[in-house]
Amino acid sequence: MTVIPDTLRENVRMLGELLGDTILENQGPELFRKVEEIRRLGKSVNVSEESDPGPLIEELGTLEDKDILPIVRSFSQFLNLANIAEQQYFASAEAQQRDILEDTLEQLEGNLGKDDVAQALKNLNIELVLTAHPTEVTRRTLIRKYERIAQTLADLKRTDLLPYERNELKTGLRRTIDEIWHTNEIRDERPTAVDEAKWGFAVIENSLWQAIPQFMRELDRSARRRLGQGLPVDASPFHFYSWMGGDRDGNPNVTHTVTREVLLLGRWMAADLYLKDIHDLAGDLSMSEASDELLAQVDNSRTPYRARLHGLRTRLENTLYWAERRVKGETVKPPEDVILSRQDLLEPLMDCYQSLVDCGMQRIADGALLDSIRRVHCFGINLVPLDIRQDSDRHVQAIDEITQYLELGEYSTWNEDERQAFLIEQLESKRPLVPRNWVPGPDTQEVLDTARILAEEPSETISSYIISMARQPSDVLAVALILKESGLNWNVPIVPLFETLDDLDRSFHVMEKLWSMDWYRQYTGGRQTVMIGYSDSAKDAGKLTATWAQYKSQENLVKLAAEKDIHLMLFHGRGGTIGRGGGPVEKAMASQPPGSVRGAIRVTEQGEMIRYKFGLPRVAVRSLGIYVAATLRATLEPNDAPKPEWRELIEAMSQASLKGYRGIVREDERFVPYFRSLTPEQELGKLALGSRPAKRKATGGVESLRAIPWVFAWMQVRLNLPSWLGARQALQYGVEQAPETFQDMLDHWPFFSSFLDLLEMVLGKADRSIAAYYEKQLVPEELHSLGEQLRDDLKQCEVLLNRVKHQDELLAGDALLAQSIQVRNPYTDPLNYLQAELMKRERKTGNFDPHLERALKVTMAGIAAGMRNTG
Ligand code: PGA
């Protein structure tokens, strides 16, 4: 059955053929023939589960070393091109026959009435936080070329193209594919933390800068049509924030100087972009008629709008000039009139807006001028205010050094009550604690210097201070004290991140204690953000246990915040892949506990997901629409609370899962050596994906390995273990002990059905026979029994899932995904077999031919492209 739409299929075929032509020209017919043969065998392996991969493996075994690199490059690039075609297709008019926004507004309006929906829409606050997480394998230079391809595919669909225009587009496409082929797809050097931040700014500049006003116009139109009222001028449902250059948790490369540079770069970039806007606006706003207020402001100029914008232009130019010199390292004081707040930008724009409206020129006001106003509301003065993130231990260490220096004792050895008493006393005291000229050790100095940077910068450029591995109230108070000591004169929101099973379970008590402290309540001004860590909790406890713990923690916090009269914002630290809390936004939002959304949500967007969701203006407009629709639904039509019997069952299933997961990961002695030998965990480091080391601590085993390489490594070998280990035990428990309740949950509890859908997606992409091949190649005999056990678990999980979903095979209800996996597998599988072979050779020789070394890296990038959103 063909499910993939024809246009998409044709585009994939066309790009594949063009790539084939390039390979033929560049590598000659011999190699081209081999690629074709491998592709054919790859397809035959994927006909059914029973198909024998033998002939494919055999063919790959005959390859000469010199052919391996071009072959893995061919397959890897094909997967990238297929992804582009898919991304472009789903953003096209053909794929979006239904307008998600309109549909949602219509339904909600039907159920609740226009006013309630309009009110909710006005109050929406969706905060998307771009993080520097090292999961984007694709180099920026290639991303730009892929974007060009996507644009060309869209242009080729235009019906008014003249023949020469079509020819030019096609030639351009060929040329771009040639360029890609002749570009090294692997980064030679690790990006610096500043490079990562620049990448974030580029996403704003190249895509979101256009997409936000476009989306807002669309939302305004839909609201007028469906709700009879448009959006207010200051409506701003989206805000973007960034961790790039601010997140120093386990990343010594993010220093206070990096943070300062990134803050300045943001202001520089913002000034540059606004200047272009103002330049264009001055061209448009040539009108002479203006309100008395505006005329009075500009000395009755004959071009009052241009005159009013002139002052803003000068301020922006000054900001640009000053920030540029600072970035270059010169110590120049900011001139009086640099831009320091949104208000500085808004005032002149709003004066123009008001005057145009007053003089009957609403349509002109609502054009480019309103776009600029919307941008200011969304992007502020540095495009993406920074979150600072640091590990709780670093703060304990810093305070410990201070108390020791002052001969007050060893803070790190005090119990929680003693710590809290000390911190509160210091926070309430008017005297500074840290002596002025004291020189602490470098780590403490860095913590204090970071706080000092926050004190120096305008408050709008910083968003919050996040504490990873937050465990106790004192972790939050310690940061408050460090910030106070820096002389900061505003209250940076301090956000605890709960990210292990124990910490999630404890989050209620931590916040209860904090919200009962007068000092702290006053500090917060009645507003609090709490961050929930999805990936580390899953790594700690397995996916189901972590998901349920996250749910309960949010539920409890919501209740507690209501009792304590705190305005709570939940911040979801989701990774891109399912094992790290990723998955479709609609599913995530529909699984939220009742009352946990209320129009406001903060979510991380990471690595390649930023590209997939926001890389192109069209794609971004669509993603923004999905966010708005899902947030509105979760706000206005929250799910019912789970029934008591559901709770009871999921609690027991979660315990079964925990036991199953930890029984392997923590207790089975074979596990760590198995993981180490089976997966390319060590080899992944060579990809130089990000500025951050793969481990929290230089020493330490799997427990200190970050969640990203953990999931990435399992995804490469197609076992995807972090996303399902423990699920078999849970499903078995549910099905055997309480089949009716289980079915009821599946039918009526979106939280649970989404969990199973995501599980199914992961199982659908796993491949036991490929995982077994890695084992055969790489794992010592004595550990094979564990592999068999794991694969058996995976199989049983699949059987159980099919049984509860009453289907014969996985993804029976999602034919499009099933097909999309099937199209990719013939390209991904050969990369897997070659990867296992290359790993084996590398591990044996230690010293590797540079071409083969590169080939190994390309297999990793290629498999990541083939797997897209799983792992
Ligand atoms: P973290 O993020 O390691 O920065 O906490 C984990 C993830 O996104 O998976």
Side-chain angles (χ1 to χ4, degrees), residues 133 389 499 535-536 575 580 606 692 696 706-708:
H133 282 48
R389 182 171 74 146
E499 51 185 335
S535 47
D536 267 276
R580 294 174 25 245
Q606 316 189 347
R692 183 171 89 171
R696 286 179 182 270
R706 300 210 75 122
I708 290 173

Side-chain angles (χ1 to χ4, degrees), residues 653-803:
M653 286 170 62
S654 149
Q655 288 307 325
S657 174
L658 181 65
K659 216 162 146 236
Y661 181 84
R662 286 198 177 155
I664 298 281
V665 174
R666 290 204 183 167
E667 283 149 31
D668 194 319
E669 281 181 351
R670 297 166 299 172
F671 181 73
V672 174
Y674 186 79
F675 168 63
R676 287 265 149 86
S677 50
L678 183 85
T679 74
E681 179 233 339
Q682 317 278 341
E683 289 83 356
L684 275 175
K686 299 199 178 106
L687 277 182
L689 288 188
S691 71
R692 183 171 89 171
K695 287 192 174 170
R696 286 179 182 270
K697 299 192 178 90
T699 54
V702 172
E703 74 296 340
S704 102
L705 185 67
R706 300 210 75 122
I708 290 173
W710 163 250
V711 172
F712 209 121
W714 285 111
M715 185 252 292
Q716 289 281 312
V717 299
R718 309 279 291 271
L719 202 54
N720 297 348
L721 172 133
S723 311
W724 59 262
L725 186 64
R728 196 265 300 158
Q729 288 82 345
L731 290 183
Q732 205 153 3
Y733 183 95
V735 174
E736 282 167 11
Q737 302 297 317
E740 276 162 29
T741 309
F742 187 98
Q743 192 62 46
D744 192 27
M745 280 158 65
L746 181 56
D747 295 341
H748 300 111
W749 193 15
F751 165 82
F752 189 62
S753 55
S754 297
F755 172 80
L756 290 188
D757 288 347
L758 295 182
L759 178 64
E760 184 174 4
M761 198 185 277
V762 169
L763 297 183
K765 291 189 186 179
D767 190 313
R768 290 192 311 280
S769 92
I770 289 182
Y773 184 77
Y774 277 83
E775 179 181 285
K776 192 164 124 237
Q777 295 293 312
L778 301 159
V779 178
E781 274 290 323
E782 65 275 16
L783 300 174
H784 286 198
S785 55
L786 176 61
E788 266 154 43
Q789 189 182 328
L790 292 175
R791 290 192 299 278
D792 192 46
D793 242 23
L794 178 61
K795 176 75 202 163
Q796 283 189 52
C797 214
E798 186 179 321
V799 171
L800 281 164
L801 196 76
N802 284 336
R803 171 133 68 94

